[in-house]
Amino acid sequence: MSTVDLIDEDDNEADIAAKAANILRDRFIATAQSGTVLYVENDNLMSKTPNGVPILVKHLDGRNPDLAQRFASRGTFKINRK
């Protein structure tokens, strides 16, 4: 079954996003059961093999949650070029 078969013209964006999330989750689970997968959890890049424990590959620096929250709470903002 392809993703094109799952999306109708009457679907709104939320329905399409939910269907895409379900497909990605299912593919991730299928891949994780047959081989090594990489994923991000709490700003850490993790590697997991089937029947193995997750291994920290790298901590992802550069994201500041406090700064992101301040921008999100302000709503819409403009970036002016100088």
Side-chain angles (χ1 to χ4, degrees), residues 26-37 48-52:
D26 293 344
R27 293 297 306 148
F28 180 83
I29 291 170
T31 303
Q33 291 173 346
S34 63
T36 302
V37 292
K48 182 162 182 339
T49 58
N51 301 322

Side-chain angles (χ1 to χ4, degrees), residues 19-71:
K19 289 177 183 179
N22 289 335
I23 291 169
L24 287 172
R25 185 193 66 237
D26 293 344
R27 293 297 306 148
F28 180 83
I29 291 170
T31 303
Q33 291 173 346
S34 63
T36 302
V37 292
L38 295 174
Y39 61 96
V40 175
E41 181 179 301
N42 298 327
D43 292 339
N44 294 316
L45 180 62
M46 307 295 287
S47 173
K48 182 162 182 339
T49 58
N51 301 322
V53 296
I55 298 171
L56 174 66
V57 175
K58 181 179 181 181
H59 177 71
L60 303 174
D61 292 328
R63 190 176 90 96
N64 184 341
D66 297 329
L67 183 62
Q69 180 60 35
R70 283 195 329 209
F71 276 108

